[in-house]
């Protein structure tokens, strides 16, 4: 079955530094990738949608300059949290789709803690 | 706009009891997909089911069953003979065909199965 690998699974960083999270589709080409954020005991909130080779579409209220998304190939998307602050501490999870109607595969998530 | 409502925030049942998780959705599209995901304490999302709007047939998979009722915009999930391993947060989600495949999640229902 389709597999999405997300790394790292957890990361602790100092306030003010940047953190990059990778999301790779291992056995299929992901035309679209999604990034979600989940605060403790809350739902998954969609942050942005990225299509290979084009700029990401951000949901309302998500700062595009803070959460940089790159989808340079059909198998890799990255989310960079720039100048991270403690309030950015959250569980980030990516999802990949190979096309409309083909379903979605989620990565295992990245738990980010900013100290 | 699409919206998913899971009115039950938290449910506790004793092992072996049946439990139904409710999900009500809103969409203006005639073509859409409904999902249920399980999120155990480890955080990863476990895919349970995907249903398209044209398929109202109920589904049974082992102890799990789903009841899709377009007339009431509901997609309820029942676990029969619950087990402690079923304890998790369960999310209902919706994707509209015209929305670039993005999935919008309900707030989730935290299910506790007591031994």
């Amino acid at each position: 079955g389709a597999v999405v690998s997300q790394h790292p699974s957890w990361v602790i960083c100092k306030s003010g530094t940047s953190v990059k999270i990778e999301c790779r589709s291992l056995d299929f080409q992901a035309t679209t990738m999604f990034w979600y954020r989940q605060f403790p005991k809350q739902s998954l909130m969609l942050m942005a949608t990225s299509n290979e080779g084009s700029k990401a579409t951000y949901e309302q209220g998500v700062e595009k300059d803070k959460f940089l998304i790159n989808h340079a190939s059909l198998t890799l998307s990255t989310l960079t949290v720039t100048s991270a602050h403690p309030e950015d501490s959250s569980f980030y999870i990516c999802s990949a789709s190979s096309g409309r109607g083909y379903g979605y595969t989620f990565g295992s998530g990245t738990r980010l803690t900013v100290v | 706009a699409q919206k998913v409502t899971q009115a039950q925030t938290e449910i506790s049942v004793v092992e072996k009891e049946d439990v139904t998780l409710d999900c009500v959705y809103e969409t203006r599209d005639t073509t859409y997909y409904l999902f249920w995901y399980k999120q155990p304490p480890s955080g990863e999302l476990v895919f349970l089911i995907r249903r398209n709007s044209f398929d109202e047939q109920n589904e049974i998979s082992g102890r799990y069953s789903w009841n899709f009722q377009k007339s009431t915009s509901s997609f309820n999930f029942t676990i029969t003979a619950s087990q402690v391993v079923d304890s998790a947060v369960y999310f209902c989600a919706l994707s509209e065909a015209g929305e670039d495949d993005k999935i919008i999640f309900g707030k989730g229902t935290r299910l506790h199965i007591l031994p």
Side-chain angles (χ1 to χ4, degrees), chain A residues 36 38 43 59 100-101 104, chain B residues 35 39 50 95 97 101 103 106:
Chain A
Y36 293 83
Q38 184 182 31
S43 186
E59 295 297 302
R100 187 159 295 153
Y104 312 81
Chain B
F35 305 80
Q39 188 177 43
R50 170 177 172 264
S95 174
D101 284 345
I103 298 180

Side-chain angles (χ1 to χ4, degrees), chain A residues 24-95:
Chain A
R24 291 181 185 273
S25 58
L26 297 186
D27 49 2
F28 68 101
Q29 293 186 327
T31 53
T32 308
M33 286 191 174
F34 306 89
W35 288 95
Y36 293 83
R37 178 169 54 182
Q38 184 182 31
F39 292 109
K41 297 198 175 183
Q42 293 190 24
S43 186
L44 286 84
M45 300 302 298
L46 180 65
M47 298 175 68
T49 303
S50 73
N51 291 296
E52 184 265 337
S54 60
K55 288 185 178 180
T57 302
Y58 290 81
E59 295 297 302
Q60 194 171 9
V62 178
E63 300 173 58
K64 59 180 69 176
D65 294 331
K66 181 169 186 61
F67 299 100
L68 301 179
I69 292 173
N70 185 285
H71 192 165
S73 77
L74 283 171
T75 59
L76 174 65
S77 176
T78 60
L79 167 67
T80 301
V81 183
T82 62
S83 188
H85 291 284
E87 56 266 31
D88 298 323
S89 298
S90 187
F91 187 64
Y92 293 86
I93 190 164
C94 68
S95 171

